[in-house]
Amino acid sequence: MVGDWWQDINDSTQWQDGVFYTLCAAYALVSAVALIQLIRIELRVPEYGWTTQKVFHLMNFIVNGVRAVVFGFHKQVFIMHPKALVLLLLDLPGLLFFSTFTLLVLFWAEIYHQARSLPSDMLRVFYISVNAAMYFIQVCIWVYLWIDDNSVVELIGKIFIAVVSILAALSFLVYGGRLFFMLKRFPIESKGRRKKLHEVGSVTAICFTCFLIRCFVVLLSAFDADASLDVLDHPVLNFIYYMLVEILPSALVLYILRKLPPKRISAQYHPIC
């Protein structure tokens, strides 16, 4: 029976260890790639301080590194009490992932606003405010769950993560789409323009898809215990989920944005795309 086979896999400690150690290795690899790229960029243009490109790679290094540690110690993590600790260790990297990739949206929004002669002074303030509000609300949920392990509040926490994910997906669709069509209408045809179109279009599609999948799966897990991601005995589901919503998107975006900045950067140079 298919159901028995699936249950046997879920109950197998060998499968659990194999899946979570594989996820640990995959996250560690992506983290190492981000760190190496950060070092290469710093060696190439040390005089420009913390550009958006450097911050993006640093945050990728941190997010994937934290995930690698969490899944490397999965046996200890999933049995922690109170459960709020487990949720904190599993959800915090996801929030950091949101902050990391919406940094791209901020960067694109600034380019779009400047190109259209629109005010862009408040974009960074808005980005910081949205992230601060997100972390504040999530910390309040964790604190409440620490004090009172309430299933309703846990459900609210999952719905909150889903809302954050769909907002991220929509932000990529809006500003990635705007920048893509602005570049497409640019009158001068060149190899550089085609490359920028490819970069913006690819990153937009990847990030929109991964946040949309995250929203759907988190909502599903909120209302269906068989789809829960916060337990040790759903190894295959966890593997598919984290591969689709974090590991592959991070790896693909790092590959797409792998080009190093030129040693002499003009005033019009944009470090990410």
Side-chain angles (χ1 to χ4, degrees):
M1 294 289 291
V2 174
D4 294 338
W5 171 81
W6 183 258
Q7 192 60 45
D8 289 342
I9 289 177
N10 285 339
D11 293 338
S12 168
T13 55
Q14 289 86 358
W15 269 93
Q16 292 169 10
D17 288 346
V19 164
F20 285 110
Y21 285 135
T22 300
L23 286 173
C24 171
Y27 275 111
L29 178 61
V30 175
S31 181
V33 169
L35 178 61
I36 291 168
Q37 186 70 349
L38 173 62
I39 293 170
R40 292 177 69 208
I41 296 167
E42 177 61 25
L43 292 174
R44 188 72 171 261
V45 284
E47 66 275 15
Y48 282 88
W50 284 100
T51 62
T52 305
Q53 187 182 31
K54 291 179 184 178
V55 174
F56 176 75
H57 283 84
L58 174 64
M59 292 177 72
N60 261 294
F61 164 68
I62 293 171
V63 170
N64 289 283
V66 171
R67 281 284 192 215
V69 172
V70 168
F71 287 135
F73 292 95
H74 63 275
K75 289 182 178 179
Q76 292 78 20
V77 168
F78 282 100
I79 61 171
M80 282 183 172
H81 291 286
K83 192 179 179 182
L85 270 177
V86 179
L87 295 176
L88 187 153
L89 290 172
L90 293 177
D91 291 344
L92 179 59
L95 298 180
L96 293 173
F97 184 88
F98 169 89
S99 299
T100 301
F101 279 80
T102 50
L103 192 63
L104 290 174
V105 177
L106 170 65
F107 180 74
W108 289 348
E110 288 178 332
I111 294 175
Y112 181 81
H113 278 242
Q114 289 166 10
R116 294 289 184 182
S117 299
L118 299 171
S120 59
D121 298 341
M122 296 302 294
L123 290 173
R124 286 182 181 266
V125 175
F126 182 74
Y127 169 80
I128 294 169
S129 300
V130 167
N131 277 271
M134 177 188 69
Y135 287 110
F136 176 76
I137 293 170
Q138 186 63 66
V139 168
C140 289
I141 292 171
W142 288 332
V143 170
Y144 190 96
L145 287 172
W146 188 296
I147 298 169
D148 179 16
D149 190 1
N150 188 302
S151 59
V152 174
V153 176
E154 187 176 338
L155 173 64
I156 292 171
K158 289 183 178 179
I159 293 172
F160 175 69
I161 296 291
V163 170
V164 167
S165 299
I166 196 64
L167 289 176
L170 291 175
S171 67
F172 270 101
L173 194 62
V174 170
Y175 276 105
R178 285 180 175 180
L179 187 58
F180 180 84
F181 286 110
M182 186 183 76
L183 288 169
K184 197 171 184 180
R185 288 193 298 265
F186 195 69
I188 302 173
E189 182 67 31
S190 66
K191 183 180 178 182
R193 173 180 167 277
R194 289 194 299 272
K195 188 174 185 298
K196 301 300 182 191
L197 275 171
H198 172 73
E199 287 180 359
V200 174
S202 299
V203 173
T204 298
I206 291 166
C207 294
F208 173 77
T209 303
C210 82
F211 280 110
L212 195 63
I213 293 172
R214 184 190 292 271
C215 175
F216 172 76
V217 175
V218 170
L219 276 180
L220 180 63
S221 70
F223 297 100
D224 184 358
D226 290 335
S228 176
L229 298 164
D230 306 328
V231 292
L232 188 61
D233 57 358
H234 288 164
V236 177
L237 181 61
N238 273 281
F239 180 81
I240 295 170
Y241 173 75
Y242 287 109
M243 273 290 177
L244 289 179
V245 304
E246 288 186 0
I247 295 172
L248 287 176
S250 295
L252 289 170
V253 172
L254 286 172
Y255 175 77
I256 292 168
L257 304 179
R258 68 193 181 280
K259 184 179 178 182
L260 293 175
K263 290 185 179 180
R264 292 184 179 180
I265 303 178
S266 69
Q268 295 180 338
Y269 170 68
H270 295 296
I272 285 192
C273 61

